[in-house]
Amino acid sequence: MLTWKHIINYTVNGNPTPDKRVEKTETEWSELLTPEQFRVTRQKGTEAPHSGALCSIYDEGQYNCVCCNTPLFDSTIKFTSGSGWPSFTQPIQENAIQYKKDTAFGMVRVEVMCNTCDAHLGHIFPDGPEPSGLRYCINSASMQLEKGTVNEN
Ligand SMILES: [Zn+2]
C-alpha cells in the first residue's frame, strides 16, 4: 500500500515505470477530447468543485484515464471527502500514476498525472482516511467510469 512517504520519494527520486506509454501531439489530443477534458488534462486546469459528473457517483466500476483509457482507480477505494472532487485513497496499480512537485499559486503541492499519457488528473494530499492516509483529489473531467464488478483484494 502506498503512503505519503512513498509519494514524496517518487517526487524526489522519480516515478515507477508504467506498463506502456501513449504519446500524442496537442492537436491530436484536442481532436479526441471535449474542450473541458482538454483544458483539465492537457493544460492542467481544475474543474469547479461539486461540478464534476463523477463527484457524487458511487456505482461499482473502474475509473479510467479519459485520454488513454488506462485504469487509474476503482470504486472500492473511492470515498466521500466533501471536497467537491472525486476522492480516492489508492491507485488501482502502483505504477498507474506519476507524481510531481507543483509550486504553482505560491503553494507546494503534489500533482498527480496519468503515468501512461501524462494527463493532469489532480493533486494528492496526506489527509486521507486510514490506513494509507492518502487523498487523491481528482477532476471528473480526467476520468471515465467503466461500470462493472470490481474484484476486492
Ligand atoms: Zn492517460
Side-chain angles (χ1 to χ4, degrees):
M1 182 196 305
L2 292 178
T3 64
W4 189 245
K5 215 189 233 181
H6 296 106
I7 306 304
I8 295 300
N9 192 40
Y10 285 145
T11 66
V12 174
N13 297 315
N15 286 288
T17 307
D19 292 347
K20 59 168 182 164
R21 288 284 299 164
V22 173
E23 288 169 14
K24 293 185 196 296
T25 65
E26 293 295 282
T27 311
E28 288 170 323
W29 285 124
S30 70
E31 285 162 3
L32 285 171
L33 302 168
T34 69
E36 173 71 353
Q37 288 165 344
F38 182 78
R39 187 183 72 82
V40 171
T41 60
R42 312 313 317 183
Q43 300 179 320
K44 302 192 189 300
T46 300
E47 68 196 12
H50 303 285
S51 70
L54 300 174
C55 191
S56 52
I57 287 182
Y58 290 90
D59 291 333
E60 223 182 316
Q62 191 173 280
Y63 292 81
N64 298 344
C65 176
V66 78
C67 296
C68 70
N69 212 32
T70 298
L72 302 172
F73 303 101
D74 71 42
S75 51
T76 65
I77 44 181
K78 191 168 193 277
F79 73 102
T80 309
S81 68
S83 68
W85 292 280
S87 301
F88 304 87
T89 58
Q90 285 289 299
I92 207 164
Q93 209 176 296
E94 287 190 12
N95 68 353
I97 309 275
Q98 61 173 289
Y99 306 86
K100 196 178 159 208
K101 193 168 154 187
D102 173 10
T103 53
F105 306 109
M107 294 180 275
V108 179
R109 296 183 296 172
V110 177
E111 178 189 2
V112 295
M113 287 176 288
C114 172
N115 207 12
T116 305
C117 77
D118 303 339
H120 172 75
L121 304 174
H123 289 87
I124 182 168
F125 302 92
D127 60 4
E130 293 298 319
S132 75
L134 297 178
R135 173 168 63 94
Y136 289 78
C137 182
I138 308 297
N139 290 287
S140 286
S142 302
M143 302 181 294
Q144 49 200 349
L145 173 60
E146 191 182 312
K147 290 188 191 179
T149 310
V150 177
N151 295 324
E152 292 224 36
N153 44 23

